[in-house]
Amino acid sequence: MSDTLIKKEPLNLRKVLKENTMLLVLAAVMILFEIFIRATDNGSLFVPANVNNIILQNSYVLILAAGMLLCILTGGNIDLSVGSVICLVGAIAATLIVNLHCNIYLAILISLIIGTAIGAWHGAFIAYLHIPPFITTLSGMLLWRGVALIVLDGMTISPLPQPYLNLFSSYIPEVFLPELSKQALTDTAAKAQLQGISLKVTMIVAILICVAMICFQIVSRKRKEHKGYAVQGRVAFIARLVIITVAVLVVSWLLGHHHGIPTVLVLLAVVIACYTYYTQNTVPGRYLYAIGGNAKAAKLSGVNTDNVMMFAYTNMGFLSAVAALVCIARFNSAAPTAGQSYEMDAIGSCFIGGASAYGGTGTVGGAVIGAIFMGVLNNGMSILGVDSNWQQAVKGFVLLLAVIFDVVSKQRKSR
């Protein structure tokens, strides 16, 4: 019995390394940047304010990456229009709220409906007329950017009202304790009190999230084992839970020493949890993988591939609208240049996070790790004073490496 355990241990270790490759690479890159930043006397990558900035600056990427992954799963398809949709929906939302003094919740609802309708427009051409997604979304990129410029008339709309900003660009303690937040601006004692409350609330929430996540993962694993499905090795499973738990607690501790939990982080958690569950634990979610693996076989098996494609692109429009609402709150304005190259950030995050360029492979968690990886690259290079042109070149090279790794891995499996 002991000999059997000894023989299995190296195999489990390889599985742990393979299944957590991106987490390990992300950790290595963060440590590398920390060494360089400290060596050049530029502070630290892990200061609370910097961790907060990484989350806020990349919130739109995380939202878009969840939707882009669904498109990529269907066969390596992408949506090039998301940046233009963000610009248009943001322009409409700002016009309703600032210029027309519309109720902010009604404006949010209208914006989400418009974004979803745009996604359905793309989906109808792709799913039912079978126009290639690249062509359809490329035309959408030009069309919706033009409409956004017409709505804005080349002008920037700002500022947005504070109640709207509280929804997407504030912090949990400040939203529920507005009076104490105002006093903290001038009163040191009130600032210290607010800081203590923020830390306590943040850590309590983090512990509850970790407990809920661990319980859910254990129950899910037990159900799969009971049904006879393949599951991760026990060592790999425990290692992943430990890594994620430690990461959540450390990030929460850092956020607690800044202003607490950003409101947008709550939105991100809901989006990530919902789409992770949808892709991994529902039949329609598994259809996405089936189509990406072999669309003809999926169709012969009874999967309505047209409806699945329609959903993927309609959903992408919806999440683009959500990202637009976050962006205008982040910048406190709607500008004609908003959303430029956002689609590239989302696509890059998915591929870096392990999604296959051929479709059928990838997870929401991987896309999230890819988005954080991109954010750490941007933030670390900015702190080091790397020129923005070089930053673009580095991100492009990293994306190329991710795709090469995917292609080479598939070629090895085919052999």
Side-chain angles (χ1 to χ4, degrees), residues 56-66 68 79-88 90 141 145 316 319-331 333 335-350 371 374 378 392 395:
L56 296 182
Q57 291 171 1
N58 295 278
S59 55
Y60 73 90
V61 182
L62 290 164
I63 295 170
L64 293 176
M68 192 66 72
D79 190 336
L80 295 174
S81 68
V82 295
S84 298
V85 175
I86 286 175
C87 184
L88 174 58
M141 180 176 70
R145 177 71 62 175
M316 188 72 255
L319 287 181
S320 296
V322 175
L325 297 173
V326 171
C327 286
I328 61 172
R330 164 74 177 158
F331 299 112
S333 65
T337 57
Q340 289 184 347
S341 299
Y342 282 14
E343 59 277 354
M344 299 305 167
D345 291 334
I347 294 168
S349 298
C350 292
M374 296 278 282
N378 287 332
Q392 292 292 330
K395 288 195 293 183

Side-chain angles (χ1 to χ4, degrees), residues 243-257:
I243 292 172
I244 295 175
T245 301
V246 171
V248 170
L249 292 176
V250 170
V251 170
S252 300
W253 186 83
L254 292 170
L255 290 176
H257 282 80

Side-chain angles (χ1 to χ4, degrees), residues 25-153:
V25 171
L26 176 61
V29 169
M30 294 176 74
I31 293 171
L32 189 63
F33 269 122
E34 178 69 8
I35 293 171
F36 286 150
I37 291 170
R38 286 188 177 274
T40 54
D41 293 326
N42 284 308
S44 172
L45 182 69
F46 298 108
V47 295
N50 199 41
V51 173
N52 177 76
N53 287 335
I54 291 175
I55 293 173
L56 296 182
Q57 291 171 1
N58 295 278
S59 55
Y60 73 90
V61 182
L62 290 164
I63 295 170
L64 293 176
M68 192 66 72
L69 176 69
L70 270 58
C71 297
I72 292 174
L73 287 176
T74 60
N77 301 308
I78 56 176
D79 190 336
L80 295 174
S81 68
V82 295
S84 298
V85 175
I86 286 175
C87 184
L88 174 58
V89 174
I92 293 173
T95 299
L96 290 172
I97 296 172
V98 178
N99 294 348
L100 302 180
H101 306 289
C102 180
N103 178 273
I104 59 173
Y105 297 103
L106 178 60
I108 290 172
L109 178 60
I110 293 172
S111 300
L112 293 176
I113 291 173
I114 292 173
T116 306
I118 292 173
W121 168 276
H122 294 156
F125 285 109
I126 293 168
Y128 304 122
L129 297 182
H130 303 290
I131 298 175
F134 182 87
I135 301 300
T136 302
T137 57
L138 178 61
S139 67
M141 180 176 70
L142 302 174
L143 171 62
W144 307 124
R145 177 71 62 175
V147 175
L149 294 177
I150 293 171
V151 173
L152 291 172
D153 196 23

Side-chain angles (χ1 to χ4, degrees), residues 69-77 284-299 303 305 308-309 356-362 410:
L69 176 69
L70 270 58
C71 297
I72 292 174
L73 287 176
T74 60
N77 301 308
R286 304 310 296 179
Y287 286 166
L288 295 164
Y289 290 91
I291 293 174
N294 191 322
K296 291 183 179 179
K299 192 169 186 177
V303 177
T305 55
V308 174
M309 293 292 291
S356 173
Y358 303 103
T361 302
K410 284 190 174 296

Side-chain angles (χ1 to χ4, degrees), residues 223-245:
R223 286 178 178 174
K224 289 179 180 179
E225 288 179 340
H226 180 70
K227 294 178 180 179
Y229 295 153
V231 295
Q232 277 184 322
R234 185 169 297 178
V235 176
F237 177 73
I238 295 174
R240 178 176 286 271
L241 288 183
V242 170
I243 292 172
I244 295 175
T245 301

Side-chain angles (χ1 to χ4, degrees), residues 149-190:
L149 294 177
I150 293 171
V151 173
L152 291 172
D153 196 23
M155 306 295 289
T156 298
I157 300 177
S158 65
L160 283 95
Q162 190 60 44
Y164 179 83
L165 298 179
N166 286 341
L167 294 175
F168 299 105
S169 63
S170 186
Y171 300 88
I172 296 298
E174 296 177 3
V175 171
F176 291 99
L177 300 170
E179 295 299 326
L180 184 60
S181 299
K182 291 180 181 179
Q183 294 178 11
L185 296 175
T186 55
D187 188 351
T188 305

